Amino acid sequence: MKSHNAYRFIMLLTLCSLLFGAEQSFPQETDFSTDSAYIYIQHLSETIGPRPMGSAKEHLALEWVVQKLKSFGADSAYIMRFTKTKSLNTNSGIAIGRFRGTTDSTIVIGGHVDSAGPEIPGANDNASGTATMMELARIWSTRDRHYSMLFVTFGGEEQNLCGSKYFVKHYPDTNAIALMFSLDMTGAGDEIIAMIETDSVQSPRWLVEDAFEADATLGIDRLVYPTHFANLNSAPGDGPGSDHEPFIDRKIPAIDFTTGINSSPIHSPQDNMNFIDRTMLDKSGRLVDHLLVKYQKEGIPHARNAKFVLWEVAGNLLFIPVWLIIGLIWLAGILAIGAFLYANSRRLKIPKSERIKLSGLKLWLFMFIIAVFAQLGEMILQAVTGFRDAWQINLNAYLIFAALWALAGVWISLQITRRWRFTPDATVYIKRALITMLLLLILFSFATKRLAIYPALSLIFFSLAVIIPVPALKIILSLLTPLPMSRLMFMEIFPFFARMFTQTGLTIGNYGMEIVFAFSIAIILLFYYVFVIFIFATLITEIPPIKSLFKKFRTIPAGLTLLLIISGFGIYLTTLPAYNEKWQPLIQVKAQYDLVTAKSKLQIIGNEYLYHVSVKSDSVQQIYNGNLYRDELKQTFAADWIDMTGSETRTPGEKDTVQVDWKLISSRPWHRVDLDVKVDTLEIDRVASELVFRHNQKNVVFSWYADPPETLNVSARLVTHPGASIIRKLKATYTELPVPVVVDAKLGNISYRTEVTLTDTLKIEK
């Protein structure tokens, strides 16, 4: 439409004015300007483009932010560089702009500038957060400030919060920081998620309450707290997080605001301007601005971090103290023991010769069949639709479909076990249900007390169901028992996890691996939900109406009715689109070349079936129409792009000390470099180097990311077994191919990778 084209033309003119220094094109009012923030996002995601940590484009973005902060009148603006992370050598940094207040006590407003990969524009994640930060810097540059303000954009967030971790450790006035706001995705059209913790501690209660009060006062009403995700994320390991976490770890109150985690196509090439929501950008900016006004006028409370579980119930915030969680866990254990003893006291007196054995094992098999059937529906739809992950757009509908197939698994299991005999003693099932839930409670408690809430609640419900004699209450409590564990599994950002999980499809090379993958999911579901089958066995044994209901469900008419429902719903699902402009599959053309053997391999790989995909090269012309997600292209090539030179000297002793000084050389820009060093005898005892490395005794790995210099110097001292030879393997990854390949796909984001390896063995003289 012409109006749309005219709008784009106006935006283009404004952007050009920005690039050539025409600052007057930006509104100078003191209120948050969505138009300014939108143009900043355009510049970062389109003009600069993808910005992986350490890349030239990330550096360009950091420099641009510094120049903008200077133009707003920052008292100082500069880039704090860092060249090392925990496991990578890099060339990243943090852009910092300081605006003095009447006190040195400081508020930090930050967001990361890097994107998740070389093909990912990162419009929402996180050009939007950086843009919001910059617009807040503009409006606060003209306001009175009691607290000094730092406007910061971090590099390296996508590589485990490298920039913010470096900042809190090396910024000279970290102790003066009183408060931090993190803006990680502010431009997508759904809820604003508040993230307030690390895996062990939370921000103070006053900060959380003020954020929700501001949300209500401004009429935004979009702020939510993902209780179940936060509890799951408290488990050990590197889960999703953002740049507020290192501040909280330093006992600095901090909160992160995130939008679009489920609705925005982050970590994909679709994270572009087409899916930026101006309304949400405005609401995110106004929310943070309101809080800044409040604290600049009223002061920042002294209370630092706290420990609690936040539970949002019907719009009310419940701050649950840790001692209450521990009490809940103990209560669950005590009730479980009481229920166990109570059930044991009511055990049926069955003569030993008449006892039916293996009832519990039979129910394990019963549950395994259900777990397999829960996945069977999707497998059938894969064959019908020709899509491997057809649920990308309509996930909830496919979850309903999976639940219907789980019911089909129940019906099939009832047919298989029709001739099987089960003990009439409910105590057998009660004990097994209690024991499996107790084991889950213990396992989850070792991970984190917050995670143990869910098996504790399930255990409390079922223990009460065992003890309370009223049939109606027994049924209600038994039906409530699986809900806490299910809520944990299907927590608030489950769609994000599910979509990110599909990216592992690039590593599944054949149908055998896919079957193993599906079998693994079935085993996980089995152990996670097996207690449910024991609960229903208890109900069937103890409550005649439930037993009668199951007998009716086991009939052929009931099975045919279920089949009709499943078929109808399945047909409906086949009419729904699997992908659209927002959600796209991944396609990668990958070349591999070994310099020593001169062996080459060219593959096309998809995390989805290759549907309407054509490939053309000098010697290949191939069209794919589904049912295949990996294929080797018959194309030979050479990619002699890398070399290793340098020297090695050995100092003999009880253990030899080997000094290495190598140069890693590439004839073209590389994206990532990994040098794996090991010895042919025993192991490498110790390593010393100015570079970052990973050492696990058997080998040492030096890695550089992203887009490192084309000549890399490696200087290190290795302590080895006397006379050991050194084996080096250099792997260089590029974002281009050694031969021209044209890929055209109706659906799919296409990326190109080349891996070149060079392996040699060095016999080092004394």
Side-chain angles (χ1 to χ4, degrees):
M1 294 177 64
K2 291 182 180 179
S3 60
H4 184 66
N5 291 334
Y7 171 76
R8 289 199 171 200
F9 181 70
I10 293 170
M11 289 294 101
L12 181 60
L13 286 178
T14 310
L15 180 59
C16 290
S17 299
L18 167 68
L19 296 179
F20 287 100
E23 299 298 332
Q24 65 272 19
S25 64
F26 291 98
Q28 295 301 310
E29 71 275 8
T30 57
D31 292 330
F32 187 88
S33 169
T34 306
D35 289 339
S36 291
Y38 190 86
I39 293 170
Y40 297 151
I41 299 173
Q42 278 187 314
H43 183 72
L44 288 166
S45 64
E46 294 184 348
T47 305
I48 294 178
R51 309 167 301 282
M53 181 186 75
S55 65
K57 289 187 175 182
E58 185 200 51
H59 179 68
L60 185 62
L62 291 169
E63 287 185 328
W64 181 75
V65 170
V66 166
Q67 292 304 313
K68 293 302 299 179
L69 292 173
K70 287 180 178 179
S71 73
F72 296 153
D75 295 293
S76 62
Y78 59 95
I79 297 175
M80 176 190 284
R81 300 194 180 280
F82 63 92
T83 59
K84 301 175 183 177
T85 73
K86 187 176 181 180
S87 60
L88 293 169
N89 298 282
T90 189
N91 183 28
S92 188
I94 306 112
I96 301 170
R98 186 169 187 263
F99 295 78
R100 291 195 188 98
T102 58
T103 175
D104 288 335
S105 187
T106 303
I107 300 174
V108 174
I109 303 93
H112 71 91
V113 77
D114 60 312
S115 62
E119 292 84 23
I120 299 172
N124 189 38
D125 187 14
N126 183 43
S128 66
T130 297
T132 302
M133 176 276 293
M134 292 171 63
E135 176 57 13
L136 289 168
R138 184 189 68 78
I139 62 179
W140 276 96
S141 67
T142 61
R143 292 176 178 174
D144 293 335
R145 299 179 297 273
H146 172 65
Y147 294 101
S148 296
M149 302 179 79
L150 281 182
F151 293 91
V152 179
T153 186
F154 304 102
E157 189 269 356
E158 298 292 357
Q159 300 294 325
N160 198 21
L161 315 180
C162 294
S164 51
K165 287 178 179 178
Y166 186 88
F167 176 86
V168 298
K169 187 175 181 180
H170 294 92
Y171 182 70
D173 296 319
T174 302
N175 291 334
I177 298 174
L179 180 62
M180 190 270 180
F181 292 100
S182 172
L183 301 166
D184 191 353
M185 304 191 302
T186 59
D190 60 358
E191 302 166 327
I192 304 174
I193 291 178
M195 301 176 72
I196 62 169
E197 60 230 314
T198 66
D199 57 6
S200 60
V201 69
Q202 287 71 46
S203 283
R205 178 170 173 170
W206 57 261
L207 180 55
V208 180
E209 291 177 329
D210 287 348
F212 277 86
E213 182 181 351
D215 176 66
T217 300
L218 295 171
I220 295 173
D221 294 326
R222 292 291 187 90
L223 190 63
V224 297
Y225 175 72
T227 299
H228 311 294
F229 160 68
N231 290 340
L232 180 62
N233 209 34
S234 68
D238 294 327
S242 195
D243 289 312
H244 65 296
E245 293 183 15
F247 291 84
I248 295 176
D249 283 334
R250 284 293 297 266
K251 298 182 179 180
I252 298 169
I255 189 169
D256 172 78
F257 298 109
T258 293
T259 71
I261 198 164
N262 287 326
S263 64
S264 179
I266 60 173
H267 292 195
S268 81
Q270 266 58 52
D271 186 9
N272 55 45
M273 293 303 298
N274 293 331
F275 304 109
I276 292 296
D277 187 307
R278 287 170 170 270
T279 301
M280 196 51 109
L281 196 63
D282 174 70
K283 290 181 177 180
S284 299
R286 288 193 296 114
L287 176 63
V288 177
D289 186 44
H290 182 92
L291 291 168
L292 290 171
V293 170
K294 174 182 175 64
Y295 294 127
Q296 288 283 9
K297 288 183 177 179
E298 301 176 10
I300 299 171
H302 293 294
R304 292 283 177 156
N305 295 334
K307 288 191 175 184
F308 55 80
V309 170
L310 178 60
W311 209 298
E312 189 179 2
V313 180
N316 299 308
L317 302 179
L318 301 180
F319 294 85
I320 304 172
V322 174
W323 64 262
L324 189 57
I325 297 170
I326 295 172
L328 182 75
I329 294 169
W330 277 101
L331 176 62
I334 292 168
L335 281 175
I337 293 170
F340 189 96
L341 295 174
Y342 177 77
N344 199 55
S345 69
R346 298 175 64 246
R347 185 167 188 168
L348 295 179
K349 305 299 182 181
I350 302 174
K352 190 173 182 179
S353 59
E354 298 179 13
R355 291 177 188 171
I356 300 171
K357 297 180 179 180
L358 303 178
S359 293
L361 185 61
K362 294 171 187 175
L363 288 177
W364 274 88
L365 177 60
F366 198 116
M367 189 64 205
F368 180 73
I369 293 170
I370 296 171
V372 170
F373 265 74
Q375 299 181 82
L376 188 58
E378 184 188 359
M379 293 179 181
I380 292 173
L381 280 184
Q382 285 179 0
V384 172
T385 63
F387 290 109
R388 194 178 184 183
D389 298 309
W391 48 264
Q392 291 281 340
I393 300 175
N394 302 285
L395 178 60
N396 289 337
Y398 274 82
L399 289 176
I400 294 171
F401 193 58
L404 290 172
W405 271 94
L407 275 178
V410 173
W411 189 87
I412 292 294
S413 298
L414 289 172
Q415 305 311 309
I416 293 172
T417 60
R418 185 182 288 270
R419 296 182 181 277
W420 292 4
R421 296 177 63 209
F422 292 88
T423 180
D425 185 4
T427 303
V428 172
Y429 311 122
I430 291 171
K431 286 182 175 180
R432 282 162 175 76
L434 291 170
I435 289 170
T436 53
M437 282 190 281
L438 269 172
L439 289 174
L440 286 173
L441 179 63
I442 294 169
L443 179 65
F444 283 28
S445 295
F446 274 116
T448 167
K449 299 295 185 294
R450 296 178 63 178
L451 207 55
I453 292 172
Y454 300 89
L457 288 173
S458 291
L459 202 50
I460 288 170
F461 286 143
F462 185 63
S463 297
L464 292 174
V466 171
I467 296 169
I468 294 174
V470 181
L473 288 177
K474 191 180 289 288
I475 293 171
I476 292 171
L477 289 166
S478 295
L479 293 176
L480 287 174
T481 300
L483 294 185
M485 295 295 289
S486 295
R487 192 65 187 94
L488 178 63
M489 175 172 283
F490 300 103
M491 43 70 189
E492 296 89 347
I493 67 167
F494 178 79
F496 166 75
F497 273 103
R499 291 189 179 107
M500 292 300 102
F501 203 56
T502 63
Q503 294 187 10
T504 61
L506 289 174
T507 64
I508 297 177
N510 53 57
Y511 291 108
M513 291 177 63
E514 192 162 0
I515 291 171
V516 169
F517 181 77
F519 181 80
S520 301
I521 296 296
I523 294 296
I524 292 171
L525 290 173
L526 172 65
F527 282 94
Y528 195 83
Y529 280 122
V530 70
F531 68 90
V532 176
I533 203 70
F534 294 121
I535 291 171
F536 278 99
T538 302
L539 288 175
I540 291 168
T541 305
E542 288 192 332
I543 302 176
I546 299 295
K547 185 174 183 178
S548 175
L549 184 63
F550 264 78
K551 283 185 175 180
K552 290 179 180 178
F553 180 73
R554 189 171 61 182
T555 61
I556 298 299
L560 291 174
T561 302
L562 182 59
L563 177 62
L564 184 64
I565 294 171
I566 289 174
S567 299
F569 198 74
I571 292 170
Y572 163 71
L573 290 179
T574 62
T575 66
L576 300 178
Y579 296 95
N580 57 18
E581 291 184 357
K582 179 184 284 190
W583 308 110
Q584 294 271 317
L586 304 176
I587 299 171
Q588 186 176 100
V589 182
K590 184 176 182 180
Q592 295 171 291
Y593 184 72
D594 189 307
L595 268 170
V596 175
T597 64
K599 289 184 177 179
S600 62
K601 185 178 183 180
L602 186 64
Q603 298 180 88
I604 182 168
I605 308 165
N607 71 329
E608 175 59 84
Y609 293 125
L610 300 172
Y611 185 68
H612 288 180
V613 176
S614 66
V615 181
K616 292 181 181 179
S617 71
D618 293 340
S619 59
V620 174
Q621 186 165 343
Q622 183 72 47
I623 296 176
Y624 301 97
N625 282 305
N627 298 322
L628 189 69
Y629 44 82
R630 181 184 292 253
D631 193 27
E632 184 172 346
L633 305 174
K634 304 303 180 183
Q635 171 84 52
T636 59
F637 59 87
D640 49 350
W641 299 343
I642 60 176
D643 193 13
M644 290 187 286
T645 64
S647 62
E648 311 84 24
T649 57
R650 180 189 300 277
T651 303
E654 183 178 347
K655 294 281 187 178
D656 287 358
T657 300
V658 180
Q659 175 68 40
V660 303
D661 294 284
W662 298 326
K663 287 185 182 295
L664 314 180
I665 303 168
S666 176
S667 62
R668 61 189 63 203
W670 40 21
H671 176 61
R672 179 180 175 120
V673 182
D674 296 282
L675 176 63
D676 189 329
V677 181
K678 55 187 175 183
V679 291
D680 64 348
T681 304
L682 297 178
E683 57 194 27
I684 300 174
D685 286 354
R686 294 188 302 278
V687 184
S689 177
E690 291 297 315
L691 296 170
V692 172
F693 56 85
R694 303 187 299 278
H695 180 208
N696 64 359
Q697 300 300 320
K698 291 186 179 299
N699 67 334
V700 180
V701 179
F702 300 88
S703 297
W704 292 261
Y705 178 87
D707 307 345
E710 289 159 39
T711 298
L712 297 170
N713 296 307
V714 180
S715 180
R717 283 196 315 275
L718 314 176
V719 178
T720 70
H721 187 75
S725 295
I726 292 179
I727 303 169
R728 303 182 298 181
K729 182 178 181 180
L730 175 62
K731 183 174 78 171
T733 303
Y734 301 83
T735 56
E736 58 180 312
L737 295 176
V739 288
V741 177
V742 178
V743 179
D744 184 49
K746 183 178 179 180
L747 293 170
N749 296 309
I750 303 165
S751 63
Y752 301 93
R753 294 289 184 273
T754 297
E755 290 181 359
V756 183
T757 57
L758 173 59
T759 306
D760 62 11
T761 301
L762 304 175
K763 182 65 178 177
I764 305 169
E765 301 298 332
K766 296 180 182 180

